[in-house]
Amino acid sequence: MVTALNAYSHGLSVQESALRSAGRGAVKTEAQNQSPGKSGAMPADTVEISAEAQKRMQAEEAQNAALDEKISYYEQFRPTREGFSSRNLAQGIVDPGAQPFSQNRSFEEVAQAARENMDSKYQQMRDSGEPYGTDNFEGKEWYSLMGDLDRRALYAVASNEGGSFSKEEQDIARNIMLGQQGMAMGLYNGPTRLAGEFTALLPTSNADHLRNYKAGIQFLDQVSIEEKAMSVEWAYQRGSLQYSYELMARGEGVTPQNFDIDHPLVNLILGALESSSGFSRDADVSSKEELLDEPWFEGYGDRLDNVMAQVRDVYGLSE
């Protein structure tokens, strides 16, 4: 599976994503409470809502409506069996930090809940007379199996937290996560028949590429603490995107936006990239071993274990 950055270097389409604004009905300005007594109803109390408060409520409703519409838009690219949902996967494209599945759970508990949820999906498919794997056209089986998982839960599966996930399940979760990042960057990832529904524009200038590198950086900065602290792949993606963005910006004579981050491994990767001329966007780095195999990382490997331990300290996940 090629990475989102790899795919970008091969010229995939770029989306100009925009929130669809939507209004909702009138806001109530009075509330009446009646408490019956021995002699009947009590006089109504009137609660006044200021014009400023009304505006805030209307703005919040419009924002929520726009968010819901955007999630629904992405959900169409994650088809499922009838009776299954992929809404949480779609929300992971719009807001990778959202936790509709894993909120208020430790990472260990997230993995356990993901295992139970997926087992229930397998059983639901068996009960339907069509066990899992019957027809994975357009990834339908994958999205049906993991459609309830948010980004944090997907990472629990991809990293085999708790050791209860098969290699196939880990690979599926990773591919879904890469697809989320790609879509957030403007790289189409979905059924061929729906490619025309993807609001994408071909990049026509380096400014377009810069915008989408930034989108990738901003997407990755929103993921869970566990993914940032434990994923070499996340650190590679984050570092290589920042490196590519800054290199292109300087080439255009533009002062790059400051995306520096307090992440020892990202900074180590950035240092290696900046000191080497051998970086290729075709690199697919998903593990410590693959990072050590990269020619541009030569000379930095002896610091890797210590730096990875520092990352866990930064995010409060030291053992």
Side-chain angles (χ1 to χ4, degrees), residues 1-316:
M1 176 72 181
V2 295
T3 65
L5 180 60
N6 183 333
Y8 194 91
S9 71
H10 286 83
L12 296 183
S13 298
V14 179
Q15 174 194 14
E16 290 184 341
S17 53
L19 294 178
R20 294 176 172 85
S21 59
R24 287 297 181 266
V27 178
K28 293 182 180 179
T29 58
E30 294 185 355
Q32 293 184 330
N33 299 313
Q34 293 186 343
S35 301
K38 293 182 179 179
S39 60
M42 296 290 291
D45 292 329
T46 300
V47 178
E48 296 289 341
I49 300 179
S50 69
E52 182 179 355
Q54 291 182 47
K55 288 181 180 179
R56 286 199 302 269
M57 291 170 62
Q58 290 169 342
E60 183 177 353
E61 287 181 357
Q63 185 178 25
N64 290 339
L67 178 62
D68 287 342
E69 191 168 354
K70 194 170 185 182
I71 292 171
S72 296
Y73 163 75
Y74 281 112
E75 190 174 2
Q76 69 180 312
F77 303 115
R78 299 291 179 262
T80 64
R81 293 185 180 200
E82 185 176 355
F84 291 75
S85 171
S86 62
R87 180 175 175 81
N88 287 353
L89 300 183
Q91 187 171 3
I93 299 171
V94 179
D95 179 7
Q99 296 185 8
F101 180 87
S102 64
Q103 187 175 21
N104 299 325
R105 288 176 166 141
S106 68
F107 198 51
E108 180 181 2
E109 291 169 339
V110 171
Q112 293 171 351
R115 178 71 274 163
E116 292 170 2
N117 182 272
M118 290 163 58
D119 287 344
S120 73
K121 300 298 184 185
Y122 284 129
Q123 186 61 51
Q124 187 176 347
M125 293 177 190
R126 285 192 293 269
D127 291 344
S128 74
E130 296 182 357
Y132 173 81
T134 302
D135 179 11
N136 195 38
F137 180 62
E138 299 182 340
K140 186 168 59 176
E141 300 290 82
W142 293 2
Y143 304 136
S144 298
L145 175 64
M146 299 192 184
D148 289 345
L149 306 187
D150 54 31
R151 174 89 183 187
R152 185 171 176 235
L154 284 172
Y155 180 63
V157 178
S159 62
N160 197 24
E161 174 68 19
S164 64
F165 301 100
S166 69
K167 180 63 166 59
E168 179 188 10
E169 290 169 339
Q170 294 170 52
D171 289 343
I172 291 170
R174 177 179 179 248
N175 287 342
I176 291 174
M177 293 169 70
L178 288 170
Q180 288 176 329
Q181 180 185 338
M183 291 286 268
M185 290 177 64
L187 312 176
Y188 182 65
N189 179 272
T192 303
R193 64 181 170 84
L194 294 176
E197 301 297 320
F198 189 57
T199 55
L201 297 174
L202 289 173
T204 59
S205 68
N206 280 344
D208 296 331
H209 295 287
L210 287 171
R211 181 191 63 228
N212 290 284
Y213 283 141
K214 287 172 62 175
I217 294 169
Q218 291 164 340
F219 174 89
L220 290 173
D221 282 352
Q222 297 178 68
V223 305
S224 68
I225 287 176
E226 290 85 4
E227 187 175 349
K228 291 177 182 177
M230 298 187 289
S231 174
V232 171
E233 182 166 29
W234 178 89
Y236 166 72
Q237 287 284 326
R238 179 58 172 77
S240 58
L241 279 170
Q242 182 175 340
Y243 172 76
S244 299
Y245 164 73
E246 292 177 350
L247 187 66
M248 183 173 288
R250 294 188 187 102
E252 290 292 296
V254 176
T255 301
Q257 186 174 337
N258 184 359
F259 285 113
D260 289 347
I261 183 173
D262 182 17
H263 192 288
L265 183 53
V266 170
N267 292 328
L268 182 68
I269 289 170
L270 275 169
L273 291 171
E274 290 166 355
S275 67
S276 172
S277 59
F279 172 60
S280 170
R281 293 185 182 88
D282 292 337
D284 185 6
V285 175
S286 62
S287 67
K288 170 184 172 181
E289 292 72 25
E290 289 176 348
L291 180 59
L292 289 170
D293 283 343
E294 286 298 312
W296 51 265
F297 199 69
E298 186 177 355
Y300 288 78
D302 59 344
R303 297 155 59 183
L304 186 56
D305 286 338
N306 184 51
V307 166
M308 290 177 68
Q310 290 176 26
V311 172
R312 295 182 71 91
D313 285 340
V314 168
Y315 290 95

